[in-house]
Amino acid sequence: MQFSSYLHNGAYDELFAPDGLPRDRSEPLFQRLQNLTPEELQRHQKAADVALWNMGITFNVYGHEAGVEKVWPFDILPRIVTDSEWGRIERGLQQRIRALNLFIDDIYHDRKICRDGIVPEELVASAKTLRMACAGLEPPQGVWCHVTGTDLVRDRDGEFYVLEDNLRCPSGVSYVLENREVMKRTFPQVFEGLRVTPVEDYPERLLDTLLHTAPRGVDAPTVALLTPGIYNSAYFEHSFLAQQMGIELVEGRDLVVHDGYVHMLTTKGMRRVDVLYRRIDDDFLDPKCFREDSMLGVPGLMDVYRAGRITLANAPGTGVADDKAVYAYVPQIIRYYLGEDAILPNVPTYVCSDPKQCAHVLANLDQLVVKPTNESGGYGILMGPQASSEERARYADVLRANPRNYIAQPMLTLSTVPTIVEDRLEPRHVDLRPFVLYGKDIYVLPGGLTRVALRKGSMIVNSSQGGGSKDTWVLADPNRPRQAEQSQSQSQSSSSPALAGA
């Protein structure tokens, strides 16, 4: 494969240095790719596309005229992260999640952080994701955010920045696991021997996390995964994780509160559920507590939770910590609870509920990215430098009407990775979503989901808006024992049969 025609677009490229030579971490991959012809590379890409189709690896897009279920877009050229880079990311995420867990607990109890003037009380009180029904709750083992997906980006300077925290129902980890499986099946000659850190034990670690945080006194906890159903955009992931963990996938209609406990209805009668990995938003969990019109949840579920007879993961109310206006204060939150400086920096952020900061944003809309504080999927964002003057004017009116609902950040230039476009390679912008589990310990899945903006020049990586993905390779330090590679080989042989049935 010839890379001589690969043109940089001024961003930090994950594979190539500015002088056009491969970065040290990419050299082994570069050498292997050079031995392939463009036709061979395309054959591998087509084989991966067919594998994704045959394995039923899909996602849903709401309101798409060509149908809701789509095959997951995947590019076979991986993104490389070194062991030392990953070590810093891992420490930074562990620090961040530890602090955010303390923050959520404080918010639903004494709110000392507000009384001490670190985070404005008004900002917390006005958060759409604040759930006063959770005030005073004590989640089992003190864990609020069991599963987190934190979005990172790398800017022109080569630094990783935290873009946002996702602490409600973060999606995407199933694609991390399936991307790796497809990569091993269709591109083994490039993958093997490069000391790629394995990811296949994530379902086992997730189940351990859920079991560890079960209510005390339960000898053999029963775990189930609660899904909204087949029309949810992440339904593939819900069914995949339940199957991989060997637990039941249930909908609200499968559950009932009886005699003070939650039970699932089975062909052999009712069976008590001790831990519920819920993939339903707070609003729909319990019509007796949140939205009365919810048909997805379980009436009375929150009463059982308050009584300490079931664990809900993530705990209701965790969304208050992924409000994008609260995000702006995370470095101060880390310093307040842990007495440490943040290892991973935030992107500089203007909080529009602050009149001075809002005025600055309105005066500089042509230079900033403006985001709603509680949207997901890339919806509702103004890319100021790329928007027309009419679009900016309309957005300014919306912002003035409800400034609490918006933040603004400078337009970063996301790093790029070579991506197959027809018969050539072109740079495409990427972000990175690592996944964090909080149970007995804090575990960070090595690599995470690299999302790719497949449209030329686009910075929107969300799959719902035309994004795809890549496998993320955290390369083990060559000076370490080869345990990681051995584990990889073992998990390769053990995971394939299960995935074939996914």
Side-chain angles (χ1 to χ4, degrees), residues 334-353:
I334 291 172
R335 200 170 300 120
Y336 181 77
Y337 293 112
L338 305 181
E340 304 168 359
D341 290 331
I343 296 172
L344 295 174
N346 269 18
V347 176
T349 301
Y350 299 98
V351 178
C352 296
S353 58

Side-chain angles (χ1 to χ4, degrees), residues 440-458:
K440 183 178 181 180
D441 304 303
I442 300 178
Y443 166 75
V444 184
L445 179 69
L449 180 65
T450 288
R451 301 185 297 179
V452 189
L454 292 176
R455 282 192 296 113
K456 188 174 185 177
S458 173

